[in-house]
C-alpha cells in the first residue's frame, strides 16, 4: 500500500508541508518570521564556535560602528534555509548553492522576516532557483539566490511508502 502524497499545507508531510517539483511555479513565495534574542545569538555562537565579541560582549560591541551587539550574519542566512527546508519546497529539498549579500546588521531584539520566491524552474534537472531576502521592517538586511533540487511526486511517494 502506498502512503498518500501530501497535496497541501492541510495534509502535511510528517516533517512539515512538502511540495513536489511538479507543484512548483515561478512566483510562489514563502516566509518565516523570527525574533533575534540574546539567547538565540548565544546558542548560535556555542553551536558554531564563532564567539566574536561583536555578537556576545555588549561593552565591546558598544564601541563598534554598530553601537551594540549584532547577530551573526550566517544566523540570518540560516533563516533562508529554514524557509526552504520547512515551507517551500519543504522536506526533501536539497540545497545546491546559495549566494548571500549582507546589506545591513541585524541587532539583538530585531525581528527578521526571511522570504523566498521561485524565479526559475529547470524540469530536466529538478532544480528550482529562488530569490531570497531577509528584512527587518522595510530594510533589506540580506539578499541572494539559492539553487535547490526538489523531489518529484514519484520520489516523494517512494519515500512515504
Amino acid at each position: 500500500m502506498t502512503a498518500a502524497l501530501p497535496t497541501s499545507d492541510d495534509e502535511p508531510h510528517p516533517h512539515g508541508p512538502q511540495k513536489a517539483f511538479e507543484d512548483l511555479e515561478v512566483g510562489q513565495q514563502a516566509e518565516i518570521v523570527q525574533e533575534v534574542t540574546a539567547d538565540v545569538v548565544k546558542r548560535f555562537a556555542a553551536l558554531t564556535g564563532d564567539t566574536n565579541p561583536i555578537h556576545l560582549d555588549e561593552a565591546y560591541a558598544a564601541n563598534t560602528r554598530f553601537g551594540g551587539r549584532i547577530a551573526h550574519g550566517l544566523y540570518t542566512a540560516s533563516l533562508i534555509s529554514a524557509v526552504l527546508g520547512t515551507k517551500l519546497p519543504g522536506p526533501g529539498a536539497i540545497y545546491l548553492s546559495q549566494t548571500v549579500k549582507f546589506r545591513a546588521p541585524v541587532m539583538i531584539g530585531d525581528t527578521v522576516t526571511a522570504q523566498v520566491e521561485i524565479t526559475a524552474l529547470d524540469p530536466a534537472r529538478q532544480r528550482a532557483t529562488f530569490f531570497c531576502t531577509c528584512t527587518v521592517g522595510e530594510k533589506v538586511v540580506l539578499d541572494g539566490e539559492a539553487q535547490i533540487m526538489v523531489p518529484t511526486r514519484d520520489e516523494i511517494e517512494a519515500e512515504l511508502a
Side-chain angles (χ1 to χ4, degrees), residues 90-147:
I94 303 297
Y95 240 122
L96 299 173
S97 67
Q98 175 80 54
T99 62
V100 176
K101 295 178 185 161
F102 299 102
R103 306 283 184 187
V106 174
M107 309 301 289
I108 307 299
D110 283 348
T111 297
V112 177
T113 300
Q115 183 177 55
V116 301
E117 178 178 353
I118 298 173
T119 58
L121 295 168
D122 180 351
R125 297 173 67 210
Q126 293 173 236
R127 306 288 199 271
T129 302
F130 291 81
F131 180 66
C132 309
T133 59
C134 290
T135 56
V136 173
E138 297 295 315
K139 180 186 263 185
V140 174
V141 296
L142 174 154
D143 62 20
E145 183 179 89
Q147 291 280 320

